[in-house]
Every structure is written in C-alpha cells, then in structure tokens.
Amino acid sequence: MKSTLKQLSPHISIDKIQESDDAIYVYCHQKNSSTVCPKCNEKISSVHSIHSRKIQDLPVQGKTVFLMPEVRHFHCRKCNLIFTEELEYASKTAHKTKRLTEFILDHSCSISSLTSQSTLNKQGVIVKKSTICAYQKKRCS
C-alpha cells in the first residue's frame, strides 16, 4: 500500500491507515514544509490554516481507497495572499486522483458508461454514469 502511494507522489507522508469492510482510509500530508507563492514567487512557510480533503484513489483488493490529506493554506506576507498548497496527484477541486480518472477513462472507452459504472463499482471504484460521461467529454474536447 505504501509503495503504491509513493508512486502517486514522493512527497506524501502517511500518518495513519484505517481499514473497514469495504474501504481503506489513508490519512496523510505533504512532506515539504514550505511552498512558493503563486503571485510573487516568494518562498513561504507561514501556514494560515489546515483542512482535510477526501480523494478517492485506485482500489486495492476490491476495496475503495480514500486519501485523506491535510491540505495547508499558506499566507504570503509579502503580497498578503492566502492560497492553498497544490497536490500533484489531484486538482484543487477533484474528488478523484488523476490516475483514478485515467483508469476510469481507459476502462470506459470501449463499453457503455452504464456497463462501465457497474463493473467499476464491483472493483471498488465509486463512480456515477454522469461522471464517466463528463470525463469522456473533457478528454475529447
């Protein structure tokens, strides 16, 4: 499990892993203690606040995997900007990792989205037909 997450990002530090009958929750955070301000390119280490996200990743042994990263908001004192650190494995508003999105798209390219939804759900991927269609529409445009 840990080696799979290291493939996702070498900057992940795992805090705790919890397992239930149908899901695995991986609590983690970014290793780096600072980042660069997107506005003025100043190196920032001043954390303004921290919040948790829930991001679905590739299933493991038929169980749904959720990454639960602590995401920091930084405060740049130079330009007075408060911004959220970026995760290299998911966009700012995504509920699924980039590699899970690619897995869904690869799986659904040759079958209907309804059939794809059914087989993916059996494998431990929680996805709706409308999400599959939206992913396909983005890829083709």
Side-chain angles (χ1 to χ4, degrees):
M1 174 62 125
K2 289 184 180 187
S3 62
T4 303
L5 292 175
K6 294 299 179 196
Q7 293 170 357
L8 186 63
S9 170
H11 306 292
I12 291 179
S13 181
I14 299 170
D15 301 320
K16 176 174 68 169
I17 298 175
Q18 286 184 328
E19 191 172 341
S20 68
D21 291 339
D22 57 349
I24 299 170
Y25 296 88
V26 181
Y27 295 86
C28 55
H29 66 275
Q30 296 287 95
K31 285 182 184 177
N32 51 344
S33 59
S34 63
T35 191
V36 176
C37 176
K39 188 174 179 182
C40 68
N41 292 325
E42 192 76 18
K43 187 174 178 180
I44 308 298
S45 59
S46 175
V47 176
H48 178 266
S49 61
I50 299 174
H51 76 275
S52 294
R53 286 184 61 189
K54 184 177 181 181
I55 305 170
Q56 188 181 170
D57 194 23
L58 293 171
V60 173
Q61 297 178 346
K63 292 187 177 192
T64 306
V65 174
F66 293 104
L67 301 178
M68 307 294 284
E70 285 187 344
V71 182
R72 299 170 291 186
H73 295 268
F74 288 93
H75 180 216
C76 177
R77 300 198 191 286
K78 183 176 180 181
C79 64
N80 205 30
L81 179 70
I82 296 172
F83 61 96
T84 305
E85 73 180 321
E86 295 207 18
L87 303 174
E88 58 192 281
Y89 52 87
S91 64
K92 288 184 179 184
T93 58
H95 296 281
K96 292 176 179 37
T97 60
K98 292 174 184 175
R99 70 182 182 181
L100 178 59
T101 302
E102 283 301 314
F103 177 77
I104 292 168
L105 281 165
D106 291 344
H107 184 275
S108 65
C109 69
S110 61
I111 57 177
S112 75
S113 53
L114 195 56
T115 304
S116 184
Q117 174 195 4
S118 176
T119 50
L120 286 167
N121 286 340
K122 289 175 186 170
Q123 293 176 19
V125 176
I126 300 170
V127 65
K128 295 179 183 175
K129 177 188 172 288
S130 59
T131 303
I132 295 169
C133 292
Y135 287 163
Q136 290 173 337
K137 190 174 181 179
K138 280 183 188 177
R139 180 184 258 183
C140 295
S141 57

